[in-house]
């Protein structure tokens, strides 16, 4: 915005402050020339009005004072920012009545010297407008470049939010619609509470099926929520009510576009990963574990040696699985492979289906039909273990224990003999019970199974006695 003082300085003597000096910080919306008694009908407010004072011509004494007060009052009522009197054509100097009226009304008064045309003042104003527009454009482009650079970072979403919050001078928050973590910047330590409020408002908007901008009142003050992607349920929130300025809207649209592009890219990457995972699981289910390992190597992944197989009945959609799980759809069921790095597979809350294992990857095909059949007959909301009747690789476990050497094989034999009792096992081996616990933990890591599982214990005991 251009101020009256900036214009007087830029006009270089073509516009001279008369009252007050120095000039107050008054913002201008334009420069207008008029000799009408009431020019305000043609003004929007905020202008510098230039005149030669024809309204006061031919008047003396009390009549000129009254005319000056009425004229200035109309200008003030019309929100004129300042009055510029051109000297020479109507008045060789500023009339005392006009100076007094401007001082009483608080209207800044300036003069245009005899040799200076009004056009010079107008030109100075529009040159400032041009410079200001270029400066604003340069600043806007700089901020947009900063947003674009933020979008190329690994933490793109938080980086974009930080840049936008800095540019707008208020807090900004991004709430993805796919369950990913929200991002917030500029909240001054109240981020957690603010995000909780925003999540509730966003959830209400999604439930109502509203895709338009919404202004809400939060504990932190007014805020506006803008949908980032139609139908995706993602929102970008700003800690400010009302309309954004034009430059701010440009920045906001840039940030929204970058966030939407980022979300679409993540979705595509997730879809590609899911397709790759599905191909791996399909190969394993078909008994082609060697081909699955080869493909996994090409994909930069690694398949575990021992896995659980879970077959889940989808509810409203695919289950959200933990990182590292491989899944595919087959016959309306979700087949999931999970590394046997724990006694039980980690399945989603409320899952419905069945699971079996752990088994070597090459033997998944042998249990797949049985686990799938059990999943199809499982009551809704429950998950059952399929273990009876499965041919577990106990011989391989026994070979692994024998190959490990040392104390593991006799420790497992004594442990199974005493049905998992630490004290009895320790007495037979002549060691402390903590030593037994440590050895059995090593056995679990070596075999990738839970030796306390009844199915595992029974098959392993028979293999060790053979």
């Amino acid at each position: 915005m251009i101020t009256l003082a900036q214009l007087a300085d830029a006009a270089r003597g073509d516009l001279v402050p008369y009252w007050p000096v120095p000039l107050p910080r008054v913002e201008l919306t334009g420069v207008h020339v008029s000799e009408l008694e009431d020019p305000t009908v043609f003004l929007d407010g905020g202008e510098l009005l230039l005149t030669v004072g024809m309204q006061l011509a031919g008047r003396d004494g009390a009549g000129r004072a009254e005319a000056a007060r009425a004229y200035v009052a109309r200008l003030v009522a019309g929100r004129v920012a300042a009055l510029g009197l051109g000297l020479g054509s109507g008045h060789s100097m500023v009339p005392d009545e006009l100076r007094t009226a401007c001082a009483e009304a608080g209207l800044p008064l300036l003069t245009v010297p005899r040799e200076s045309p009004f056009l010079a003042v107008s030109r100075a104003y529009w040159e400032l407008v041009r410079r200001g527009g270029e400066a604003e454009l340069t600043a806007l482009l700089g901020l947009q470049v900063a947003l674009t650079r933020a979008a190329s970072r690994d933490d793109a979403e938080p980086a974009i939010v930080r840049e936008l919050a800095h540019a707008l001078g208020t807090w900004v928050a991004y709430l993805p619609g796919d369950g990913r973590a929200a991002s917030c910047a500029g909240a001054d330590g109240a981020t957690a509470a603010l995000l909780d409020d925003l999540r509730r408002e966003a959830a209400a908007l999604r439930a109502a099926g509203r895709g338009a901008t919404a202004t809400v009142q939060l504990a932190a003050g007014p805020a506006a929520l803008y949908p980032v992607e139609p139908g995706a349920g993602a929102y970008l929130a700003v800690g400010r009510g009302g309309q954004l300025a034009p430059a701010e809207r440009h920045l906001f649209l840039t940030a929204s576009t970058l966030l939407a592009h980022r979300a679409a890219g993540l979705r595509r990457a997730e879809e590609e990963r899911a397709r790759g995972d599905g191909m791996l699981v399909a190969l394993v289910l078909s008994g082609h574990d060697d081909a699955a390992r080869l493909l996994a190597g090409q994909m930069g992944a690694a398949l575990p040696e021992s896995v659980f197989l879970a077959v889940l009945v989808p509810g409203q959609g695919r289950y959200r699985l933990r990182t590292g799980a491989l899944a595919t759809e087959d016959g309306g069921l979700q087949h999931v492979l999970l590394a046997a790095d724990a006694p039980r597979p980690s399945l989603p809350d409320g899952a419905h289906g069945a699971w079996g294992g752990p088994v070597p990857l090459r033997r998944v095909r042998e249990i797949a039909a049985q686990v799938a059949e059990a999943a199809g007959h499982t009551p809704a909301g429950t998950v059952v273990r399929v273990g009876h009747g499965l041919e577990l690789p106990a011989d391989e476990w026994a070979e692994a224990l024998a190959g490990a050497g040392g104390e593991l094989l006799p420790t497992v034999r004594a442990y199974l003999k005493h049905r998992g009792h630490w004290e009895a096992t320790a007495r037979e081996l002549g060691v402390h019970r903590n030593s037994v616990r440590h050895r059995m933990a090593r056995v679990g890591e070596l075999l990738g199974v839970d030796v306390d599982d009844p199915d595992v214990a029974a098959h392993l005991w028979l293999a060790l006695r053979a």
Side-chain angles (χ1 to χ4, degrees):
M1 186 65 71
I2 298 169
T3 67
L4 187 59
Q6 286 177 320
L7 178 58
D9 182 65
R12 300 180 182 276
D14 291 324
L15 185 65
V16 181
Y18 187 78
W19 179 91
V21 178
L23 292 171
R25 180 179 174 80
V26 177
E27 295 181 346
L28 298 178
T29 60
V31 175
H32 186 73
V33 179
S34 177
E35 301 301 329
L36 295 176
E37 290 280 346
D38 184 8
T40 59
V41 294
F42 299 102
L43 302 177
D44 292 325
E47 297 90 351
L48 166 65
L49 178 65
L50 300 179
T51 179
V52 296
M54 297 296 294
Q55 307 85 353
L56 306 181
R59 302 173 187 264
D60 291 313
R64 185 155 67 176
E66 179 61 29
R69 283 194 296 271
Y71 177 65
V72 170
R74 286 191 293 272
L75 299 185
V76 172
R79 297 182 296 109
V80 170
L83 177 64
L85 179 65
L87 301 178
S89 298
H91 303 276
S92 59
M93 58 184 298
V94 176
D96 290 338
E97 297 84 355
L98 182 60
R99 182 195 62 79
T100 301
C102 287
E104 291 175 350
L107 181 67
L109 177 63
L110 303 94
T111 62
V112 179
R114 178 188 302 270
E115 64 277 7
S116 299
F118 285 170
L119 183 60
V121 179
S122 296
R123 284 175 176 168
Y125 174 80
W126 289 111
E127 176 63 17
L128 288 175
V129 171
R130 184 187 67 79
R131 293 177 188 173
E134 290 179 352
E136 182 179 8
L137 179 60
T138 300
L140 179 61
L141 289 175
L143 292 170
Q144 288 181 326
V145 168
L147 286 171
T148 305
R149 287 176 176 169
S152 65
R153 296 178 47 164
D154 292 337
D155 61 336
E157 292 172 356
I160 291 171
V161 168
R162 286 194 299 270
E163 291 293 344
L164 185 59
H166 174 72
L168 299 183
T170 185
W171 63 259
V172 174
Y174 174 57
L175 296 92
D178 55 5
R180 287 181 290 114
S183 303
C184 184
D188 296 332
T191 301
L194 176 61
L195 287 177
D196 286 342
D197 290 342
L198 289 173
R199 288 189 186 98
R200 284 193 293 271
E201 296 293 342
L205 292 174
R206 295 186 193 107
R210 294 178 58 187
T213 300
T215 300
V216 297
Q217 185 66 36
L218 306 177
L225 279 76
Y226 300 82
V228 174
E229 294 178 277
Y235 284 92
L236 190 56
V238 181
R240 186 191 303 172
Q243 294 291 324
L244 297 173
E248 293 176 328
R249 285 199 296 272
H250 282 297
L251 292 174
F252 195 88
L253 289 173
T254 298
S256 297
T257 301
L258 292 172
L259 288 169
H261 181 73
R262 168 79 171 180
L266 291 175
R267 282 198 302 273
R268 287 193 296 269
E270 177 63 22
E271 291 169 358
E272 289 297 326
R273 187 197 64 79
R275 276 195 289 269
D277 290 352
M279 294 171 63
L280 293 176
V281 177
L283 287 170
V284 172
L285 291 174
S286 301
H288 303 297
D289 57 290
D290 288 339
R293 292 188 189 281
L294 179 61
L295 178 59
Q298 295 295 321
M299 295 168 55
L303 292 175
E305 294 295 331
S306 182
V307 297
F308 296 109
L309 170 65
V311 179
L312 305 178
V313 181
Q316 298 299 319
R318 291 172 60 92
Y319 291 101
R320 187 178 293 276
L321 304 169
R322 68 180 176 90
T323 303
L326 303 176
T328 189
E329 297 282 346
D330 184 18
L333 299 174
Q334 189 174 354
H335 290 66
V336 185
L337 293 180
L338 301 107
D341 52 7
R344 296 175 62 88
S346 177
L347 297 175
D349 293 337
H352 172 206
W355 63 276
V359 294
L361 195 68
R362 63 182 177 79
R363 306 191 71 169
V364 169
R365 182 184 183 187
E366 299 175 15
I367 69 170
Q370 185 177 355
V371 178
E373 182 180 3
H377 294 87
T378 302
T382 60
V383 179
V384 299
R385 166 77 186 276
V386 177
H388 298 294
L390 292 183
E391 185 183 351
L392 298 178
D395 292 338
E396 296 179 7
W397 296 339
E399 291 175 5
L401 290 171
E407 70 280 359
L408 292 188
L409 181 58
T411 299
V412 172
R413 184 178 286 112
Y415 184 78
L416 295 176
K417 173 184 175 182
H418 293 288
R419 300 183 180 179
H421 292 289
W422 303 103
E423 296 288 352
T425 304
R427 283 196 299 270
E428 178 174 327
L429 297 174
V431 298
H432 194 275
R433 64 177 178 273
N434 288 340
S435 297
V436 176
R437 287 193 176 94
H438 177 69
R439 293 176 186 180
M440 293 307 298
R442 290 170 55 197
V443 170
E445 295 175 359
L446 174 65
L447 304 183
V449 298
D450 178 16
V451 180
D452 290 319
D453 185 293
D455 294 317
V456 173
H459 282 78
L460 183 55
W461 175 246
L462 292 175
L464 292 178
R465 293 191 62 187

